Amino acid sequence: MVKDATPGWWFDAAGYSLYLRSFSDTDGDGVGDLAGISERLDYLTDLGINLIWVTPFYPSPQADFGYDVADYCAVDDLYGGQRQFDRLVEEVHRRGMRIVVDLVPNHSSAKHPWFDQSPDYYIWAKAATDGGAPNNWVSYFGGPAWTFDEAVGKYYLHLFLPEQPDLNWRNPSVREEFRSILRFWLEQGVDGFRVDVAQGLVKDKHLRSNPTIGPLDPEATRESQWASLDHRYDILQPESQKIFKEWKQICAEYGAVLIGETSVEDPERFAELLDGEGLDAGFWLAPMHHEWSAESIRQVLSDPIEAVRDPRSICWQGSSLDEVRATTRLGGGQQGRERALALSTLLWCLPGIPFLFQGEELGLEQGIVKPDERADPVGDDVAASRDGCRTPMPWEPGPMFGFTTAERSWLPAGGRTDDDTVLVQRATVGSWFERYRALIQVRMERPELRSGAIEWIDKYPPDVVVFRRGSVVVFVNAGAEAVSIQERGEVLFDSFWQLTGTTNRLKLAPNQAVVMVEVFQNQKRPSMGSPGQL
C-alpha cells in the first residue's frame, strides 16, 4: 500500500504522545485500549492535534508494560486486537490526522520465540576472568547490564530489565526481520515509527568496558549509576546509522516518518543521529531536566538548534511517559502550571516538531501513587518510579473520572479533582485546555513558526527569554520579578490570558509567556477566544 504523501509533512505536525494503557478504557478491564483512542479522537482534533504517537500495543508479558515485545507483527488482545487497530488507523486518517507507532528494536521480551529458538539474535558473552560480568556496562534501570543464563553457560546483555534482552544488530538476520516488520505495519497504514532507544541498537564489536567518570555505587540511583560511565561502547555506535538509512528508504516508499528516541545529553552526539541520511527527526529530552532560569532555558533550547543539520528535525517535549510531569517538576500548583505552559510556549514556537504528553494540556501534576499501588518495575520507591506520570487520563467528574467503568484501574486515578477533567476544562473560559489549544492554533496558523529561521534576542533584561521567527516574537519571563518591555506589536497569545490586541509595552509577570507579531508586518492575529482567569 504505497501512499500519496507529501515528503516532510511531519514538519507541519502538532504532535500528541499517547500512553495507551492510561488514555481511555472501553471494555471495563481497567486498562486503556485502542477503541478508547478511536472514541477520543475528536477531543484531539478539537485541541488542534494532527499527529498521534501511540505506545506499544504488541503481545507482551508486560514486564515493562509493552516495551518488552513478544510478537512484533500482532496486536495484543488486551488492547482490542487487530480489528480495533485497523479501526483506529481508519478513524485517524478519516480526520486528516496521522499515526506513528512505537518500534522497539533495541530489545525484545525474553518470552519472544527468538530468545529460545534463535539465540544468535541476541548478545551473549563469556564470563570475565574473575567469573563475573563480561564488562562494566550498567542497565538504564540500574544494576549490571548482564544476566547469567545457567542453561547456556553465558551472560546475555540487557540495557534495561533482564526480561528485555538486547538484540544483536550485527546479525544480518535481525536486520532482515525488522525490514519485514516495518513493511508489515506500513502496509497496515501507519504513518511512521517512533524508534525506541534509537541511540542504543548496535554495540561495540569487542564489548569493551566503558571508561569510568566516577565511582560506581550499586546502591545509588539508576541515573547516578548510568552517569558514572562514559558510554563510549554500549550506545551511539556509528553502524546504527546504516540501519536507519535502510529504514528511511523503506519509509520513504510509503511517505512515512522515522522519529528516534534519541536519548543523549550531548548536543553534538545528538546531531550525529540526525545526519539527514537516516532518522527524519529525533527527540531532544533536555527540556525535561533543566532548571527554571533564563540562562538554563536558553542553553537547553539553543544548543541542539545550533548543533543539528536541520533544526526542523528536533522533536520537543516538556513532559513524557518516563519523566516527572512538567507542572510538578517546575514547582507544582499554580506556579508549576504557569511555568509548564511558558515552557510549552517556547517549545511550540521553536523550529522542530512539538509534542504534548497526554494530560499536559490540562495542567496535570504528577499523579499520586501509594507504595502498595505501584506498578512500575523501575525504581526502589514511589518517587523513583514512572507511575506518577502515567496515571489515567481524567475525562469527566465521577468514579475513575471517566477513564474506565471498572471499580479500579491498573493505576489509581492519582488524586485528580473535577477541575482537572477534560469535561470541566472544555467548558471553562481561560482553562489550561483553552490556553494550550490557543497556543497550538498560533503554531499552526503562522507559517514562520513551522519553517522560519530563529533569531535569539539579548537586548532585553537577562531574566527574559526572547527569540524571533519572521515577524513573530516570543517572550518568557523566567525571573522572580515583573519586567516591563517597550515593544510594539499585536498579541497572538498570552499564557496568562490577559493581553489582546495591539500594545506598545509589555509588562511580563513572573512565568508569563507572550507571543506577538510586530505591528509593521500588518499580519492578522489568530483568535484566542475570550480572555479570562482560572
Side-chain angles (χ1 to χ4, degrees), residues 25 47 124 225 264-265 296 326 365 418 452-453 457 462 523:
D25 169 33
L47 180 60
W124 299 86
Q225 291 182 43
V264 292
E265 297 179 356
S296 177
E365 295 191 73
D418 289 355
I457 303 173
Q523 299 285 349

Side-chain angles (χ1 to χ4, degrees), residues 163-401:
E163 294 88 347
Q164 296 169 290
D166 279 30
L167 288 158
N168 178 14
W169 279 95
R170 295 185 180 277
N171 183 337
S173 296
V174 172
R175 293 173 69 159
E176 180 57 35
E177 292 276 11
F178 273 84
R179 285 193 289 267
S180 297
I181 290 166
L182 261 69
R183 289 192 181 277
F184 176 86
W185 290 109
L186 290 167
E187 288 291 331
Q188 308 303 309
V190 305
D191 299 292
F193 303 92
R194 178 264 194 185
V195 182
D196 190 55
V197 198
Q199 74 281 0
L201 270 60
V202 179
K203 313 301 191 291
D204 176 60
K205 185 175 182 179
H206 303 290
L207 300 178
R208 289 171 282 188
S209 284
N210 285 318
T212 58
I213 297 175
L216 173 60
D217 180 0
E219 302 300 321
T221 65
R222 59 190 177 99
E223 293 86 0
S224 296
Q225 291 182 43
W226 185 261
S228 70
L229 300 176
D230 175 5
H231 295 275
R232 193 172 300 175
Y233 301 118
D234 53 351
I235 62 173
L236 289 169
Q237 303 305 295
E239 294 92 336
S240 293
Q241 297 299 91
K242 297 178 181 178
I243 297 167
F244 299 143
K245 186 175 182 178
E246 292 177 3
W247 292 358
K248 182 172 183 174
Q249 292 172 347
I250 294 172
C251 287
E253 297 176 25
Y254 296 81
V257 66
L258 196 62
I259 301 174
E261 184 208 18
T262 39
S263 181
V264 292
E265 297 179 356
D266 185 327
E268 297 300 328
R269 301 189 81 179
F270 173 69
E272 291 172 7
L273 290 166
L274 300 180
D275 62 0
E277 298 295 321
L279 297 172
D280 294 301
F283 281 96
W284 174 246
L285 304 182
M288 292 183 282
H289 304 103
H290 67 86
E291 297 178 355
W292 186 253
S293 72
E295 181 181 5
S296 177
I297 293 169
R298 285 191 199 96
Q299 181 175 351
V300 160
L301 303 185
S302 63
D303 280 357
I305 290 174
E306 294 173 3
V308 301
R309 184 187 63 87
D310 182 354
R312 295 180 304 162
S313 65
I314 303 171
C315 294
W316 303 99
Q317 278 187 295
S319 296
S320 82
L321 60 96
D322 291 321
E323 305 291 344
V324 174
R325 286 184 175 273
T327 292
T328 298
R329 179 175 62 84
L330 296 175
Q334 181 74 8
Q335 179 189 73
R337 291 183 175 92
E338 290 172 357
R339 290 177 173 178
L341 178 52
L343 175 61
S344 289
T345 303
L346 294 170
L347 301 183
W348 280 75
C349 292
L350 287 172
I353 309 168
F355 280 78
L356 289 178
F357 176 56
Q358 68 179 50
E360 193 173 358
E361 72 280 9
L362 303 175
L364 296 186
E365 295 191 73
Q366 196 80 338
I368 299 170
V369 181
K370 298 176 183 177
D372 61 353
E373 297 171 323
R374 278 193 56 201
D376 190 4
V378 179
D380 57 2
D381 58 31
V382 171
S385 83
R386 299 166 293 179
D387 290 335
C389 64
R390 298 177 174 184
T391 53
M393 184 80 168
W395 291 102
E396 59 191 39
M400 293 306 302
F401 293 98

Side-chain angles (χ1 to χ4, degrees), residues 86-160:
D86 293 342
R87 178 193 170 210
L88 173 61
V89 173
E90 180 182 353
E91 291 296 323
V92 165
H93 291 160
R94 187 170 67 83
R95 290 167 173 79
M97 304 170 71
R98 299 180 190 268
I99 179 171
V100 165
V101 301
D102 248 317
L103 183 70
V104 189
N106 176 73
H107 50 265
S108 76
S109 166
K111 298 297 184 181
H112 195 294
W114 292 341
F115 195 62
D116 291 328
Q117 299 172 14
S118 304
D120 60 326
Y121 278 23
Y122 299 87
I123 298 174
W124 299 86
K126 296 179 180 179
T129 54
D130 64 359
N135 62 31
N136 69 349
W137 295 0
V138 297
S139 162
Y140 277 104
F141 288 168
W146 296 93
T147 290
F148 188 74
D149 188 302
E150 295 283 353
V152 178
K154 292 182 179 181
Y155 283 87
Y156 67 87
L157 177 68
H158 52 88
L159 288 187
F160 293 86

